[in-house]
Amino acid sequence: MEITMGSASNLVTGVVGYLFQKLKRNFSYVCHHRTMVLDFENKVDMLKDRRDRVLLNVDAAQKNGETIYPDVKNWLMKVEDMIISELSKVKGLEDEAKNKCFIGLCPNVKARYQLSKKAEEDAAAVDELLQQGEFDEVSYRDVPQPILFVSPKDFEDFDSRRLMFNKIMEAVKDHNVNIIGVHGMPGVGKTTLVKEVVRQVKEDKLFDSVVMAVVTHTPGVQKIQDQIADMLGLKFEEQSMTGRASRLCERLKKEKKILVVLDDIWAKLDLMEVGIPLGDEDQGCTILLTSRDLNVLKKDMDAKNVVLIGSESFPIGVLEQEEAWHFFKKIIGDGVESSDLLPIATEVAKKCGGLPIAIRTLATSLRNEPPFVWEDALRQLSKPSSSNFAGVPATVYSTIEWSYDRLQSEDHKQTFLLCSLLGHNVLLDSLLAFAMGLGLFHGVSTIKETRNKLLTVVSDLKASCLLLDGNTNLHFDMHDLISDVAVSIASKGKPVFVLRRKHDLNDWPDDETMKECDKILCGGISELPDQLNCPKLTFLSMGRKDPWMKIPTNFFKETKYLKVLILSGMNLASSISLPGSLRALCLSNCVLGDIAFVGELKNLEILKITRSDIEMLPKEIGQLTKLKLLDLRYCSKLRRIPPGVLCEFSRLEELYMDKSYEWGAGGHSSLQSSSSLAELNVLSCLTALETHIPNAKIIPEDFSFEKLQRYIIFIGEASDWYWNGDWKWGWVREYSRTLKVNLQTSIRFLNNGVKVLLKKAENLYIDEVKDVEILLHESEVGNYFQQLKNLHIQNGEKVQYILKYSAGVQKIEFLQLESLTLQGLPNLIGFCSKKEGSTSISPQEIALFKQKLKCLEISECKCIQEIISTDKIIQETFKNRALIRFPRLNFLKLKGLPKLIGFCHEDYTVEFSTLTILEIENCPELKEFIHNSTSKDIHTHGVLLNYKVAFPNLEEITISHLRNAKRIWYSQFHMNSFHMNIFPPFLLGVFQRLEKLIVADCASLEEVFQIQVQGLDIEETYVVSSQLREVNLVRLPKLKHVWTKYREGNISFENLQIVFILECWSLKSLFPFSIAKDLQQLERLGIGECGLEEIVSKNVEVSDEQEIWLAFNQLFFLVLGNLPYLTCFYPGMHRTTWPTLKKLRIYNCRRIKIFGHEESQIGQSLFLIEKVIPQLEEVSLRLGDIAMISDAQRFYNLEGLEVVSCNFKELASFKSDACEDKDMIITIPKIKKLKLNAVNNIRHIWKQGSPLDHICASLECLELWQCRNLNNLGLELSFSENLTTLDVFKCNKMLELITSSKARSLVCLVTMRIRECEMMREIIASDENDTSYEIVFRALKHLELHCLESLTSFCSGNYTLRFPSLEELTLSQCLKMKNFNQGELITPKLHNRRSTITDFKGRWDGDIKATVEQLYKEKVGYRGLQHLKFSKFPELIDIWSRNPQEMLDFTILKFVEVCDSNNLRYIFNLSMAFSLGQLRQMEIKRCGNLEQVIKEEGPMVKEAITDSSKIISIFPCLRSVTVESCPDMTSFYMGSKGLECPSLVEIKVIGCSNMTTFVSTFSKDEDKEAIIGDEVDNVATFFSDKVAFPKLEKLTIIDCASLEEVFQLQIQGLDIEEACIVTSKLRQVKLFRLQKLKHVWNKDTNKNISFENLQEVHVQECWSLKTLFPFSMARDLQQLKSLIVDSCGVEEIVSKTTVEGSDQHETLFEFNQLSFLALWALPSLTI
């Protein structure tokens, strides 16, 4: 009962308490309603602020093309509802609560309660929204949708064309068809259709490359080759057509799939002559042809699939009537259907015959014309021309003829007819010269007026579709059909003869026709008549490729009215008579003798002498008083124009000089050698000038360039970049005014005339700026740069600012600037001078030129810290929201900026909306592109690119030598990780457009693509398809993963085509299985010098018993080299397929079996012999695989074979038993290229009865490299009859190349290269049985003899040597060659061509024999030495003791060996050492009196070491130093400063008993013998703080009795952070027999010094050594693999730490990689 009453009491108490609290709370709602409402309103205000911030981010993201996350959108909707709806409800309740009850005497309790309750609930909802609104990101970069290509304007998608288009596309996709033909009448649209096919092919990525060449009816093979090569980026070095064809063929074969389009073929074209691979084995090359002639395609070109345009079998050649009308109406305008013109327009359209070109031409001409013009056009078109014009329908002819008749003036007509004669892609300047010569334009008197008139006419002709655009703005073109019609029209009045193909006189018209000819244009002419009987001729153009044809003396006797003469490839060495009527004379690539006869051409206005061998202009040229244009470009031998000649050209308007011409110094002395610039000052009409002025001082003070309107002028010494490298002439001439100046002083001191050029320039290069700190002063330059489009400033050692800051700096604007390059300005601080210490460009300065800027490059500027500086005014104004845009920039390059810490500060957001290429190289301090120097966030520190920079269109990234960038991009998803990676998963969607990635020399990088993210459902969030096509990763020592393993289906790399990995030793596996299985497009794979153990990592999702299939269906090129740990392709049961593999190179992969048979494929070998071998075209085999040659019949397609590092003695030794069967021998393929590399035991190439007779019967190229025991070639006829290339390199036992009798069999040899064969005495040795006295190399064009130390002559026998085709002879470093040969030497082409014998910088003394003898006499060969061994050239010892630099070119030396010399105390003084920029290896042995290798002596030392640094850097390329048996040597280097060798990898010092230190220094103020700074605690130290070898990996010291200490780590009184301790990369240390050695590493090292890369330490017979490793150093030896300590006095391996309290703690040493430990004969060692 008591329990019941107690429970009841408790229950009552609880209920009462609950009711009280509830009443209290409700009462508080009534009493505190205002507080709750205010709290709600405050939170709503906070929510509004949060909403506004999110909206700003949303707006910015939408403007950047990003997609807003759905939860962000939902949140914004809820916020709007809260702010609008709920707030209004609260306001309503608040108004109601204000009303009172009982006649206003009592408050409205109910309303107040409801108000408080609502305010409290809504406040809680607002809190929740505020919490939800803390978005890290509001948007993401969505996968971009494919852009639909708009068909080009010339292609109309008609049904008939679409059917034909589809048929061609089907043929293009068919792998069994490799030649496709498109045929049809002229003007039907073949070219337009094929171009649309090309566009579609590119869009669909059906081929790797597409190239196109226009053939025309004069198929110049060289022109076709050039067109294809330009598209491939190929540059020919070969001069011969055969060589060019071979080079082009080789390049085309490198493309896995390539489409070659040859447009407008008129006759049979030998594709192999061009260099286009053809045959069943070249399935990767598809050829698309167009022609007017069906038989050309079917019979001559053997097209497998011909699409007929206009044939009976496929009658869709012309447009159907409805299509033709639609096309016509589209051009005219739709309004024609509603006008009175409709009936006439319909009939006019019908007259075009359905030909697109006729429709376009006619409709364009009639557009906007009145009705009477239409009626007249229809009348004329109703009477088709009766001209028998083959291949062109009469209706088509009449339409073009009508368009011609409708041209607005005779000027247009004559220009049009002239254009039709000139071929394709003609220079406008050529047309200008011809038009002036013919006097086409009346009412114009100057070149400028004529050019303006011509440009207007050409523009009108293009608008009328009678002319086309050329390759550049400087060229124009014409459709073949229109050209044919134009020639026919021109011939109606006055006959015109055009013949561009190779021909003879039988192809010329009859005599009567020739008498009436007005214009003749013939190329490829093989003979000339004695006299040209053309009395009415006004225009003549004749040409040949080679300048051999001589013009008869009386050839022009009957051409009295000739006005324009163009000669190309002719020989005018003998005097000829030209008609006095000539107004334009153009001589190109001609052999010219005395051309004084030109002075008789009194009416000449245009004179062009280009690409010819003229050396001096005759003084008679000065008689050409009417001359308006003189062009002497590309005449590299022109050295002299007699003084006063130029002054005579009073009417000269345009002068174009060759870059090599040297102007005279001025004055009027009779001794003056050449014309001076002063003569140009009197040419009042001169408006255009192109010239090189080597020194600004020769410009007269009163000289004025004011009148120049067009110019390309270079002032200063020419440099390599100026002529060959950065300078692209086609690009330069796009500008009207170009100035390049080597600025030796401030611009203020420049000649006023030069300042005028500067002011008007569009393209400005400023180079070699000396002694100038501020380049441009605002007060001086004023408005100079209003027209500037390209600004390039480089090589200014003292330049600190480009512009001087002043109040007017804002007035300087680069409104037209498109390209800005700042290069080689080591002291550049900023663009405009302003605040002290600023090392960047301010945002205001960027605004000066960023509006149109497309290209920005800043390189080799050592002081630049930021590209855009932090500006406090801007920062405060925009409050961390400053946005800097580069709206047109597409190329950004930052290179060689050692102090760069960032592009700009994080106070700015930088947007590169159009950037496609980003290159960042050699910026060692760069950590963050958008940096914050005060940031302490460990997760963002060292991240190169972050959210503050936008690259939405980036396609190519190059990142190199960024040692402090630990990650390339930061992912917010990795807050708890610090992986060093480039692309976290969320960025792969952002970078979908990225196609090419290059990362090199980034020492901290561990991952490239990080795809698996812990805790993130990436499969649902990020599903992207990467467009990446090429990956290049080079020298990344810590790279562990290229792709981390990831969940299948997230991200695809299916578009990868090229992967190259080099020097990544931490990389164990390349592709995850999920990546490898999708590499269907991979074409090229190269892996070299890596720690790879497997190519594809194991698929953990399948069992070990399940077989894996991997298909590489497009891979045709595979290189695996120097992979010592590679054991398998895939670690499990697998099969691989390589159906298109053509080229295979594998070397130094000894742990993996390369080839196997099908029955043993699984997990055993890389390739199946049965599957891979038959398709290979080029293969490189090592010793273990050479036995596979026994199955040679399997190599059905093999054309190239390379045999590497094999030890057989003759090629026949690896034949199989099958080869004994002669029937089987016949089936063996015939290779075309054979290369033997490092086959050291072979003595003879050929042996009687060898199967090589059959295998090499078609051999064209033979390369013998490093076959050390090979005696001679011993070639037989079967070997040599087809041989075109012979290359012998480093075959050191070869005494002669070939005997005289066998040399005669080399009938097809085109190229012979013999290089670095030490014992080669002569090339052709006499054969005792040879009775002939003549040896002919009929086809040889290129002969190179290089570094043949024992060569005395080419042939010592008394033979006549004939080289009828020899064009180029290179002879260098053949020091003992006294004469070329004993007998007669005949080289007809070498005498007359510019390609001549070369040695050092080139030499020619009239003929080969004289030149060789003179070279030997002057010892010129020593100057070209790259490998110098004193043992082979003992005479150099005397030279060396005097002044070796006068005989040797130190700048190219790569190897130096000094042995057995007792006359030298030192080898190099400091000035000599500075000049050895290419030296890679140095060996000093057995030099008894040598004290130092380098000693600071000589007159140039002070100049060489004037900088303030404590260490001098020399030998930038030196990698290896060996010093052996030099008992008197005390140090390697002695000088006043320390020594740095930045590339040194290995040092060996052996048997130098007095050597105690590597570098010894002396004080400049004391006696040089007072050595200081190389001892610590009275202990001699080998490597002290005076040494800087940052790349040293191997150190060997043996038998150095005086050495006490190797590495000095702790230096008394020196801040260790400033000391140059450079052993961080040391991997191997060997110390033997050092009896006084006390320390290897002295004392305990500071933490700043690390030897963590040590892998091998071997110490032997060092009895004074007590301790090996300092304590702190031993803790870092994680990479140590081998430790040997033998026969030493060592008491402990690791010294005891000096840290207090360490004795109380156990010390743990980890040697995780140690695999070999040997402690032998250590009697003092205690454990």
Side-chain angles (χ1 to χ4, degrees), residues 1235-1268:
K1235 182 175 181 178
L1236 304 183
N1237 191 350
V1239 184
N1240 292 328
N1241 290 337
I1242 193 168
R1243 297 179 181 274
H1244 305 282
I1245 297 295
W1246 181 89
K1247 186 178 180 181
Q1248 188 70 32
S1250 168
L1252 269 293
D1253 267 357
H1254 300 274
I1255 294 177
C1256 299
S1258 301
L1259 193 66
E1260 297 177 1
C1261 178
L1262 176 61
E1263 297 181 4
L1264 305 173
W1265 285 21
Q1266 304 181 87
C1267 299
R1268 298 175 183 173

Side-chain angles (χ1 to χ4, degrees), residues 1403-1469:
R1403 183 66 175 270
W1404 185 246
D1405 289 315
D1407 60 61
I1408 295 177
K1409 283 191 170 184
T1411 304
V1412 170
E1413 292 171 3
Q1414 190 65 24
L1415 290 177
Y1416 178 77
K1417 182 179 179 181
E1418 297 179 8
K1419 303 294 183 185
V1420 174
Y1422 288 117
R1423 299 175 190 169
L1425 279 179
Q1426 294 182 357
H1427 293 71
L1428 176 60
K1429 295 184 178 180
F1430 276 68
S1431 58
K1432 293 189 176 182
F1433 308 109
E1435 64 273 16
L1436 282 179
I1437 293 293
D1438 293 334
I1439 298 174
W1440 201 272
S1441 61
R1442 299 194 305 269
N1443 183 11
Q1445 287 178 287
E1446 70 181 15
M1447 183 64 69
L1448 295 168
D1449 181 12
F1450 275 41
T1451 61
I1452 63 174
L1453 269 179
K1454 294 182 179 179
F1455 174 84
V1456 171
E1457 179 194 87
V1458 182
C1459 298
D1460 303 307
S1461 173
N1462 293 321
N1463 298 327
L1464 299 175
R1465 294 183 60 194
Y1466 66 91
I1467 298 176
F1468 305 108
N1469 61 35

Side-chain angles (χ1 to χ4, degrees), residues 38 341 515 540 586 850 1146 1154 1179 1414 1544 1563:
L38 288 174
L341 287 177
K515 289 180 180 180
L540 174 61
C586 304
K850 73 186 180 70
I1146 298 179
I1154 306 301
V1179 62
Q1414 190 65 24
L1544 190 61
S1563 171

Side-chain angles (χ1 to χ4, degrees), residues 466-618:
L466 293 174
L467 282 185
L468 305 173
D469 290 330
N471 291 344
T472 71
N473 293 334
L474 306 176
H475 296 76
F476 69 91
D477 209 338
M478 180 181 284
H479 193 281
D480 286 335
L481 175 62
I482 295 179
S483 176
D484 293 343
V485 173
V487 171
S488 176
I489 293 172
S491 297
K492 286 182 179 180
K494 300 176 181 178
V496 173
F497 170 44
V498 179
L499 194 60
R500 294 190 176 93
R501 60 178 173 80
K502 188 175 181 180
H503 64 280
D504 54 30
L505 292 178
N506 293 326
D507 297 308
W508 285 37
D510 58 64
D511 292 343
E512 293 302 318
T513 303
M514 291 294 288
K515 289 180 180 180
E516 299 297 322
C517 268
D518 178 61
K519 296 180 179 67
I520 296 178
L521 190 149
C522 51
I525 189 170
S526 60
E527 57 181 328
L528 290 175
D530 292 335
Q531 184 172 301
L532 189 62
N533 191 14
C534 301
K536 298 183 179 181
L537 193 66
T538 62
F539 179 96
L540 174 61
S541 174
M542 298 190 303
R544 282 178 53 89
K545 179 182 177 182
D546 296 320
W548 295 106
M549 180 172 290
K550 292 186 177 181
I551 300 177
T553 303
N554 296 321
F555 183 76
F556 297 103
K557 186 176 182 179
E558 297 297 325
T559 58
K560 297 181 180 180
Y561 297 101
L562 189 63
K563 296 180 179 180
V564 177
L565 176 59
I566 308 149
L567 300 177
S568 177
M570 294 292 179
N571 190 326
L572 279 73
S574 58
S575 179
I576 60 174
S577 177
L578 297 178
S581 57
L582 274 180
R583 298 178 60 185
L585 175 61
C586 304
L587 306 176
S588 177
N589 196 30
C590 290
V591 176
L592 303 177
D594 183 3
I595 59 169
F597 59 86
V598 174
E600 301 173 3
L601 307 177
K602 307 299 183 182
N603 293 307
L604 202 64
E605 297 181 357
I606 308 291
L607 177 58
K608 291 191 170 195
I609 305 177
T610 59
R611 303 184 189 278
S612 299
D613 63 353
I614 187 170
E615 298 179 3
M616 180 186 72
L617 280 185

